[in-house]
Every structure is written in structure tokens, then in C-alpha cells.
Amino acid sequence: AQSVTQLGSHVSVSEGALVLLRCNYSSSVPPYLFWYVQYPNQGLQLLLKYTTGATLVKGINGFEAEFKKSETSFHLTKPSAHMSDAAEYFCAVRTASGGSYIPTFGRGTSLIVHP
Amino acid sequence: AAGVIQSPRHLIKEKRETATLKCYPIPRHDTVYWYQQGPGQDPQFLISFYEKMQSDKGSIPDRFSAQQFSDYHSELNMSSLELGDSALYFCASSWVSANTGELFFGEGSRLTVL
């Protein structure tokens, strides 16, 4: 079984400040990990993903995430928040091989950016 | 680039009515997924199809059914609608054979049950 825990349903930052959205996962087999972003009334868009190889992955819009197996974490960061980053962010996990390929999503974190 | 197309984008129904949502996946994608997202909730997996065969089943109510057609488009049929069915329904597609893992989502169909 696999699960995702996103710490904090809401994160509020000032424009230009560091963004840190936390994600911890549980998986009995090597995972694939994803961060998706959802703007109001839109579908989910992939920000970045970890499958194999380098544990620090870079995504779109200046976001990056680091896979830490020992901590079972995949936190999302961005050095400097922009007003346009305000959205809902979902962390997701699926198995790399074997079993179901259906990703499990976290409950989401709403990022609020203040001017 | 072509994206996942969903229709209708908005749908209003009365209780006990039926509704049908359509999804057109990205060309050459072999898998279609349906998700339900309630207000302020994470997307909940309903059902998926790989090469037109049902591949996985999630928390899909018995009142709902889905299928994938020969042209790879998929339809989600919902009957005896309840107020609690009001949600955003997403279709996503992927190329499982490539094993990249990512899903490509449509913009969703918002169902309101009155």
C-alpha cells in the first residue's frame, strides 16, 4: 500500500520569500514521486517528478524537489515566491514497478502568496 | 500539443437524474483514468482503462459505470445522482508502456447536483 501525507493544508508566504511545501510518503516498494499544481477551475499540471537517478529534480516555474529515501520525503521548494504561484499543490506517489500504477494523491496544500 | 479534452465542462442535474461525461485522451496514450475531486478535497481515483479494458477500480460507486471505446475516448456514466456526487470530475491519460509515470489531466467537468 502507498500513501502520501502533506503537512499543512495552507502555507502562506510573502512575495519573494522561500516556498517550502512538505510531502512524506509511504511505499513498500521503490516509488515514483510527483508534484502537481492546480490553479482554480483547472486540471492538475505536472510540476516535476522523480523516477530514478538524481534525487534533486527541477521542474517548471523554478520549483525543485529532493527525494530523501531515509526520510521518506519529497519536499517542494522555490527560492522566491511569485504572486502567480498561488495555487493548490498536490504530492503523489506510485510504485515504480509491480502492483498498481495508479498514483495516490495527498490532500493538497494551498499556497497563499502575499504582496 | 494536444491535451486531454473533457466535455461538458459544466453540468447541472437534479437528484436521481443521470449524467454522462466524456473524455478524449492524448493521441497514442494507452491508459485513461477517472478521478473525482470534491470541494477542498484531493482527487479520488475512480476507475482506469488500459487499451480499452478496465485495468483498475477505485472508489467508484455502483451507480457509476465507465467504458473506453475503440477510438480510445472514454465515458463516465452516473445514474441516480445524489447531492454528494457534486464534484469536479477529471479524466487523465498516460502512456503506461513508456513507464514515465506522469498523468496528463484534462480541465475537468464540474457536476452540480441540485
Side-chain angles (χ1 to χ4, degrees), chain A residues 32 34 36 38 41-46 49 51 90 94 96 100-103 105-108, chain B residues 9 33 35 37 40-43 45 48 56 88 90 96 99-103 105-107 110:
Chain A
Y32 283 3
F34 309 86
Y36 285 85
Q38 184 181 29
N41 298 313
Q42 293 188 25
L44 281 71
Q45 178 185 2
L46 184 70
K49 65 180 179 182
T51 54
F90 292 94
R94 55 150 274 194
S100 171
Y101 288 155
I102 305 302
F105 287 87
R107 297 297 295 268
Chain B
R9 292 293 311 279
Y33 312 77
Y35 282 85
Q37 185 180 31
Q41 302 295 315
D42 57 303
F45 170 69
S48 65
D56 281 280
L88 198 52
F90 287 109
V96 168
N99 200 25
T100 59
E102 65 185 282
L103 271 60
F105 284 81
E107 295 199 327
R110 182 171 296 281

Side-chain angles (χ1 to χ4, degrees), chain A residues 75-94:
Chain A
H75 301 330
L76 181 70
T77 62
K78 182 174 180 178
S80 177
H82 192 272
M83 295 296 290
S84 61
D85 294 327
E88 191 81 16
Y89 291 80
F90 292 94
C91 182
V93 63
R94 55 150 274 194

